[in-house]
């Protein structure tokens, strides 16, 4: 079947978040300390992952996440004497929003589908970062709207998130909607619970466990055939 509405996750589906994050962390550390610290990204990533896990489980808010990861990071790096966690957050988020690094094949996919279906972004990311980055991206005009958890007041995989997105889409049959994402915990589990077809972007050959995505692809250029039926 063909899909008329495609909801794309942003990070690690269309945007290469790991590359952008590495660049943003390196730039932030250099700006805050005046030094290049090679191990900074690995230390930041451990803190960041802990806080995102808490966020997805409902144990932390986005505001707590955005500051908390830098409380941990500066403590682990012995950099508490340089700036406040809020200053680190602000510098990092400005840097991250400036790097619109795309996953291989994402740009081409979006332009191929642009006039064939309606496309939207569904993301748990920080609103200021997502909107800044999208404004710089070549694919910005491919998407009608960004549905950002921070702005909606709920997050993937919460049922409320998908309910709000569906309400904003209007009178659209669920059978005409396809969600595309990489995260089993937020994109896949949330979409299945919401009764939506979902395409799991799985370039690293991970195991889906008990989840059963409607489709699974290892490359973005295989999504055209699914969307267009």
């Amino acid at each position: 079947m063909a899909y008329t509405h495609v909801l794309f996750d942003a990070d690690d589906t269309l945007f290469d978040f790991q590359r952008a994050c590495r660049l943003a962390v390196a730039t932030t550390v250099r700006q805050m300390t005046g030094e290049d610290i090679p191990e900074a990204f690995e230390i930041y990533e451990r803190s960041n992952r802990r806080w995102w896990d808490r966020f997805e489980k409902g144990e932390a808010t986005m505001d707590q996440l955005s500051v908390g990861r830098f409380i941990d990071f500066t403590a682990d790096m012995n950099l508490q004497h340089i700036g406040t966690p809020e200053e680190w957050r602000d510098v990092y988020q400005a840097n991250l929003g400036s790097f619109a690094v795309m996953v291989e094949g994402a740009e081409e996919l979006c332009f191929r589908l642009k006039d064939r279906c309606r496309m939207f972004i569904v993301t748990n990311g920080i609103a200021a970062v997502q909107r800044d980055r999208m404004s710089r991206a070549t694919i910005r005009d491919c998407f009608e709207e960004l549905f950002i958890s921070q702005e909606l007041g709920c997050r993937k995989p919460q049922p409320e998130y998908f309910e709000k997105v569906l309400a904003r889409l209007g009178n659209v049959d669920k059978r005409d909607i396809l969600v595309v994402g990489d995260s089993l915990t937020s994109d896949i589990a949330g979409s299945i619970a919401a009764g939506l077809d979902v395409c799991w972007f799985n370039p690293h050959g991970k195991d889906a466990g008990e989840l059963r995505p409607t489709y699974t692809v290892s490359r973005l250029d295989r999504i055209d055939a699914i969307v267009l039926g």
Side-chain angles (χ1 to χ4, degrees):
M1 64 175 291
Y3 295 95
T4 60
H5 294 64
V6 184
L7 312 180
F8 281 97
D9 172 55
D11 293 324
D12 295 322
T13 299
L14 296 178
F15 291 97
D16 190 332
F17 183 76
Q18 289 300 311
R19 284 181 60 197
C21 185
R22 283 182 178 274
L23 290 168
V25 169
T27 303
T28 299
V29 169
R30 190 179 310 117
Q31 290 172 338
M32 294 294 290
T33 69
E35 300 179 46
D36 290 317
I37 305 177
E39 66 272 21
F41 176 75
E42 283 69 25
I43 295 172
Y44 167 81
E45 183 59 17
R46 288 198 295 269
S47 171
N48 185 52
R49 187 66 262 163
R50 286 196 304 269
W51 278 96
W52 272 104
D53 287 343
R54 293 173 192 171
F55 175 78
E56 290 188 354
K57 293 174 182 176
E59 298 171 356
T61 66
M62 182 59 75
D63 288 342
Q64 290 170 333
L65 179 159
S66 64
V67 175
R69 59 188 174 185
F70 285 106
I71 294 174
D72 292 353
F73 170 73
T74 54
D76 292 341
M77 293 281 293
N78 294 317
L79 295 173
Q80 304 99 314
H81 59 290
I82 300 178
T84 66
E86 289 79 9
E87 288 172 329
W88 280 88
R89 173 201 61 195
D90 293 345
V91 173
Y92 169 76
Q93 288 182 185
N95 286 325
L96 185 60
S98 71
F99 295 116
V101 185
M102 306 297 298
V103 170
E104 182 179 357
E107 182 179 51
E108 296 83 353
L109 171 66
C110 290
F111 282 116
R112 287 196 303 270
L113 293 180
K114 182 176 182 293
D115 297 320
R116 309 292 296 275
C117 61
R118 298 177 64 185
M119 296 193 291
F120 304 83
I121 294 291
V122 286
T123 177
N124 278 342
I126 296 170
V129 173
Q130 299 290 21
R131 293 198 176 278
D132 187 18
R133 182 177 55 181
M134 183 58 80
S135 73
R136 301 167 187 266
T138 57
I139 61 172
R140 59 185 175 275
D141 294 330
C142 296
F143 295 89
E144 294 185 34
E145 193 168 356
L146 280 65
F147 297 117
I148 304 173
S149 62
Q150 191 175 32
E151 296 175 344
L152 293 182
C154 47
R155 67 193 180 283
K156 299 181 292 182
Q158 289 180 314
E160 294 84 358
Y161 178 88
F162 290 93
E163 289 168 5
K164 288 188 176 184
V165 169
L166 292 172
R168 294 272 285 273
L169 291 180
N171 189 25
V172 180
D173 192 316
K174 285 186 177 182
R175 292 173 294 183
D176 294 329
I177 300 171
L178 179 69
V179 180
V180 180
D182 71 294
S183 171
L184 287 171
T185 54
S186 60
D187 301 314
I188 309 308
S191 300
I192 291 173
L196 298 170
D197 284 359
V198 61
C199 178
W200 182 27
F201 177 49
N202 180 26
H204 305 299
K206 297 179 182 178
D207 184 358
E210 296 181 356
L211 293 173
R212 293 293 178 267
T214 318
Y215 312 96
T216 299
V217 298
S218 59
R219 295 178 1 203
L220 290 177
D221 62 8
R222 296 178 179 173
I223 293 175
D224 304 59
I226 294 171
V227 173
L228 303 177

